[in-house]
Structures are given as structure tokens and as C-alpha cells.
């Protein structure tokens, strides 16, 4: 019998991020506390740019955006936000979406699987994802439970379970 396997990836559904951004922009335009403060949120190349005329208001825009992401099932670990920066009369926050598992994070997860996971489970780095294989499917499910229980500083998903 062939080995069973699955891949550990870190991907974000771009359409869900786009929908959350559009919902945030709509809420900002309708809320009373954002009237006349020139607050906005939009894509700026590959980054998301949030603007407002005060430090606290731009943080409120970020907070609304984060709540919309959570409602749409996007992990906040995939969102990398900077600090508010003063640009002219406006405060700006730039945020980017992190996708793919970096080499050092992949090695860290592979070591975790080797050290704490069931015996006979192999993990190998393949680009920006990690392939986990074993002869026993129960071992693979144990690895998934192990990783879900860990507090990793990046979002992971399990795909291609065969």
C-alpha cells in the first residue's frame, strides 16, 4: 500500500480579502463617527492602505477591517500590519497579506513533527509548502491535531489529503 500524505500550506483566498475590504469601505462611508474625517481603505498595489485624519481613527479602520476578515474566515495571522504613519495631514497604515510558508518556518514545523509527532511520519519542504506522509492515516490526523494545538505565528491549512 502506498503512503498517505497531505500538504501544509499558507494561502489566503484573495476574493475573501477583497470582499472584507469592500465591506469595510462601505461601513466607513455610512458610520456617523467617520463622517467628515476623510477615512478610507483601498488596495495600493499588493498592499492595503488605510487612511484617516487621526491616529485613533485609522486604528479604528484597521479594527473594522480585521473584524470583517475574521467573519469571512481569513486568519489574522496572514495579515501583516505596520504602525500608523503621519503623511502630510493624514495618518496611514499599510497592511500586506502573507502567503506561503518561509523556509525557516517550514523547517521549524518539520522539526516539530519529527520531535513530537508519531514515529514513521515524514515531512519534507517543497517550495513554500510542506508535504507530510506516512503509511498510517491515523498518524497523519494526529499530526494535524498536533499542529492545530500549537500557536504558530503564521496561518496554515491542510490540503491534498490522499
Amino acid at each position: 500500500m502506498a503512503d498517505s500524505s497531505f500538504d501544509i500550506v499558507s494561502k489566503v483566498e484573495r476574493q475573501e480579502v477583497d470582499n472584507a475590504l469592500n465591506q469595510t469601505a462601505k461601513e466607513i462611508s455610512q458610520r456617523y463617527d467617520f463622517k467628515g474625517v476623510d477615512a478610507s481603505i483601498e488596495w495600493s498595489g499588493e498592499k492595503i492602505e488605510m487612511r484617516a485624519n487621526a491616529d485613533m481613527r485609522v486604528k479604528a479602520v484597521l479594527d473594522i477591517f480585521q473584524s470583517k476578515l475574521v467573519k469571512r474566515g481569513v486568519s489574522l495571522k496572514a495579515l501583516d500590519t505596520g504602525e500608523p504613519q503621519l503623511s502630510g495631514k493624514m495618518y496611514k497604515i499599510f497592511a500586506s497579506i502573507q502567503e506561503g510558508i518561509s523556509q525557516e518556518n517550514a523547517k521549524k514545523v518539520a522539526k516539530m513533527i519529527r520531535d513530537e509527532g508519531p514515529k514513521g511520519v515524514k515531512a519534507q519542504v517543497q517550495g513554500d509548502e510542506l508535504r507530510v506522509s506516512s503509511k498510517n492515516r491515523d498518524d497523519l490526523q494526529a499530526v494535524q491535531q498536533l499542529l492545530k494545538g500549537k500557536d504558530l505565528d503564521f496561518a496554515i491549512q491542510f490540503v491534498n489529503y490522499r
Side-chain angles (χ1 to χ4, degrees):
M1 187 173 137
D3 283 1
S4 299
S5 69
F6 68 89
D7 294 336
I8 301 173
V9 297
S10 181
K11 292 195 181 345
V12 174
E13 191 69 41
R14 172 96 177 190
Q15 186 61 49
E16 293 296 337
V17 175
D18 218 24
N19 291 341
L21 188 134
N22 291 334
Q23 286 179 338
T24 303
K26 185 175 181 181
E27 185 171 326
I28 290 169
S29 70
Q30 294 175 345
R31 272 184 40 176
Y32 176 76
D33 55 337
F34 284 110
K35 292 285 185 221
V37 299
D38 203 22
S40 67
I41 181 170
E42 62 191 10
W43 285 104
S44 174
E46 283 298 306
K47 293 187 180 258
I48 298 165
E49 180 182 348
M50 292 160 262
R51 281 184 296 221
N53 65 355
D55 184 24
M56 296 307 291
R57 289 216 173 92
V58 77
K59 287 181 180 177
V61 171
L62 174 62
D63 189 46
I64 294 168
F65 182 56
Q66 288 175 334
S67 71
K68 299 296 182 190
L69 285 174
V70 168
K71 285 182 184 173
R72 296 200 143 279
V74 177
S75 174
L76 293 182
K77 291 179 181 178
L79 186 69
D80 183 29
T81 59
E83 288 298 312
Q85 303 167 343
L86 185 60
S87 173
K89 293 182 179 178
M90 301 296 284
Y91 282 88
K92 294 181 180 181
I93 293 180
F94 288 99
S96 59
I97 304 296
Q98 303 293 355
E99 287 197 305
I101 301 174
S102 67
Q103 288 292 325
E104 63 267 5
N105 285 338
K107 288 177 183 174
K108 197 184 324 177
V109 171
K111 182 176 178 352
M112 195 182 304
I113 291 170
R114 271 195 314 276
D115 295 347
E116 301 175 36
K119 299 290 180 228
V121 175
K122 296 185 287 287
Q124 53 190 170
V125 179
Q126 295 180 332
D128 62 351
E129 56 186 47
L130 196 67
R131 167 78 42 96
V132 180
S133 58
S134 173
K135 292 194 182 308
N136 188 345
R137 285 179 170 240
D138 291 341
D139 290 347
L140 292 180
Q141 290 177 341
V143 168
Q144 287 182 354
Q145 291 304 316
L146 169 76
L147 293 177
K148 284 180 185 175
K150 297 290 180 186
D151 187 27
L152 302 172
D153 54 348
F154 54 96
I156 59 171
Q157 294 86 32
F158 308 111
V159 296
N160 295 337
Y161 189 78
R162 324 186 182 96

